Amino acid sequence: MQFGLEVVLRDRDSAIAEKRTHDGNDASRWTEADVEQILKTMLLAVEHAKNPGSDQQFVALRGFSWIVEPSEGGVVIAIEIPTGAVVAGPFDIPQPALDALISRVLAAAAPSRPVIH
């Protein structure tokens, strides 16, 4: 399935719009693995917008703010990190279902013991 991404970096006034492909399930049948991949794709899009030649592939699913919002055609996921923000979608999945999936993915990715930064 294809979906849109819009990245806005902190030091820029315009958005970078792209299309991405997700090879997993359609949004209405997403699992935690699908949502994890979408979130990682979104965060990597910010990295690649900031550093176009980057070959960065590792993504830690922590340290960002997120929200699922209704949009024409479904819902969108918005993520904000210190570098900028990214919005992906729309996805054809109920907002509460996507909220729950993202919460489970982030809980599973959380360290099992306290982390001191």
Side-chain angles (χ1 to χ4, degrees):
M1 75 175 254
Q2 274 203 331
F3 63 95
L5 273 178
E6 290 187 18
V7 177
V8 178
L9 299 174
R10 292 257 184 249
D11 58 352
R12 303 220 181 113
D13 293 333
S14 59
I16 300 166
E18 304 176 348
K19 290 282 188 191
R20 294 293 169 99
T21 300
H22 174 63
D23 293 329
N25 294 313
D26 289 331
S28 62
R29 298 179 318 154
W30 272 354
T31 65
E32 285 85 356
D34 292 302
V35 171
E36 179 180 359
Q37 189 58 49
I38 295 292
L39 295 174
K40 288 180 176 183
T41 297
M42 293 172 69
L43 292 168
L44 283 171
V46 175
E47 167 62 20
H48 293 152
K50 181 76 174 173
N51 301 301
S54 173
D55 62 353
Q56 176 69 21
Q57 294 299 314
F58 176 77
V59 177
L61 293 178
R62 60 177 188 253
F64 61 88
S65 299
W66 63 275
I67 189 167
V68 176
E69 285 290 316
S71 179
E72 188 174 321
V75 295
V76 295
I77 304 169
I79 293 177
E80 185 175 4
I81 60 175
T83 309
V86 58
V87 177
F91 302 110
D92 185 19
I93 182 172
Q95 182 178 3
L98 186 50
D99 276 330
L101 280 165
I102 292 173
S103 294
R104 288 195 301 270
V105 167
L106 296 181
S112 59
R113 53 190 166 139
V115 176
I116 299 173
H117 296 279

